[in-house]
Amino acid sequence: MSLLELKGVETFYGASQALFGVSLDVKEGEVVALMGRNGMGKTTTINSILGLAKPRSGSISFAGRQVAGMRPHRIARFGLGLVPEGRRCFPNLTVLENLLAAARGSEWTLEKVVELFPRLGERRDQYANTLSGGEQQMLAIGRALMTNPSLLILDEATEGLAPVIRQDIWAAIRKLKAAGQSILVVDKTLSELLPVADRCFVLEKGVTVFEGTPDRLTPDIQDRYLGV
Ligand SMILES: Nc1ncnc2c1ncn2[C@@H]1O[C@H](COP(=O)(O)OP(=O)(O)OP(=O)(O)O)[C@@H](O)[C@H]1O
Ligand SMILES: [Mg+2]
């Protein structure tokens, strides 16, 4: 059974339709890549899953429940941990306070987050708005993990970061995968994304146009749907 399953999701912003039929699923323990060029509907798909945008039709089930149309805070409590585009943390809280404010459940602890991202330990008393972009991204991931999500969703978690920081974040994603964490990941760095992904979905203008294992993502398909 899938942990998350979307079927034929259609979502609008006002009168403007962004999703025209998105179907995808994530099984327990899988890392699933959600791909597609700019503006194709990746973030809108994530917003639809989380209840931040309301699907007009289609179904979304998470952990055995129909969640489409529910309020965002309720959906999140079923076990979704989002690292949003633009890495939002509480700017006037310290690293430690940010992490503790997110804590829910018992598996993930401060110690485990700091083990995954030692830099957060070094900066535990620093205010979030004084962190570098990469450190803020680590904090955003740490915050999502502190909620003990059964599904972690990463939306462009490595975008705009220095190469060395990106490496740290990919290494963390690989560790999470090895530990069995289910992850839905949006990222444009295919060279890092494909090796870690169990399956991929590609969106084109709000429609799922490809589903399969990374080895089936041929150069032709990459050119057609992911080329810049
Ligand atoms: N708040 C909004 N109001 C109106 N239209 C929106 C809004 N957010 C997104 N859109 C539109 O919906 C479509 C899908 O956007 P979305 O942000 O989901 O794309 P994306 O695949 O995440 O792109 P990117 O790779 O640039 O992040 C785009 O045409 C975008 O302009
Ligand atoms: Mg986006």
Side-chain angles (χ1 to χ4, degrees):
M1 198 188 77
S2 293
L3 178 60
L4 173 73
E5 186 169 31
L6 280 71
K7 283 188 195 157
V9 171
E10 301 195 14
T11 300
F12 292 67
Y13 292 107
S16 142
Q17 188 165 4
L19 303 186
F20 292 81
V22 171
S23 298
L24 69 83
D25 71 298
V26 181
K27 297 187 177 72
E28 197 80 55
E30 265 189 329
V31 174
V32 169
L34 178 58
M35 306 161 79
R37 283 187 291 246
N38 288 114
M40 292 305 172
K42 304 178 297 296
T43 298
T44 304
T45 299
I46 290 171
N47 288 344
S48 302
I49 295 167
L50 287 150
L52 301 168
K54 209 171 257 183
R56 192 173 291 184
S57 59
S59 68
I60 302 179
S61 77
F62 178 66
R65 296 178 184 84
Q66 281 301 320
V67 297
M70 279 187 193
R71 304 282 282 265
H73 69 272
R74 259 196 92 195
I75 298 176
R77 287 195 173 256
F78 294 143
L80 283 166
L82 172 68
V83 180
E85 229 177 350
R87 57 186 97 100
R88 270 159 272 159
C89 301
F90 294 117
N92 302 318
L93 294 186
T94 65
V95 167
L96 208 63
E97 289 164 346
N98 261 284
L99 291 171
L100 289 174
R104 192 162 72 219
S106 56
E107 202 196 317
W108 276 92
T109 57
L110 280 175
E111 289 68 29
K112 280 187 71 178
V113 169
V114 165
E115 197 183 311
L116 189 64
F117 294 120
R119 275 163 172 266
L120 292 181
E122 294 160 22
R123 287 165 174 73
R124 57 197 296 147
D125 297 318
Q126 207 169 310
Y127 288 101
N129 59 5
T130 67
L131 297 173
S132 73
E135 290 159 357
Q136 286 183 33
Q137 189 59 265
M138 292 173 186
L139 181 55
I141 297 172
R143 280 178 50 83
L145 291 171
M146 287 296 282
T147 70
N148 283 282
S150 35
L151 179 64
L152 178 67
I153 301 181
L154 301 168
D155 194 356
E156 313 271 13
T158 68
E159 195 180 32
L161 302 180
V164 56
I165 302 284
R166 298 165 82 116
Q167 287 313 315
D168 286 351
I169 289 177
W170 284 112
I173 292 170
R174 287 190 290 269
K175 276 185 201 160
L176 292 170
K177 176 186 165 105
Q181 175 72 54
S182 311
I183 308 176
L184 178 63
V185 52
V186 172
D187 205 284
K188 295 198 176 78
T189 314
L190 300 192
S191 59
E192 297 283 359
L193 179 60
L194 295 182
V196 80
D198 295 302
R199 287 185 304 131
C200 309
F201 290 84
V202 176
L203 299 186
E204 171 83 355
K205 295 183 181 154
V207 176
T208 303
V209 290
F210 172 89
E211 169 194 352
T213 49
D215 58 294
R216 291 189 47 230
L217 206 62
T218 59
D220 177 52
I221 293 172
Q222 292 195 30
D223 272 3
R224 183 144 31 126
Y225 298 122
L226 305 171
V228 283

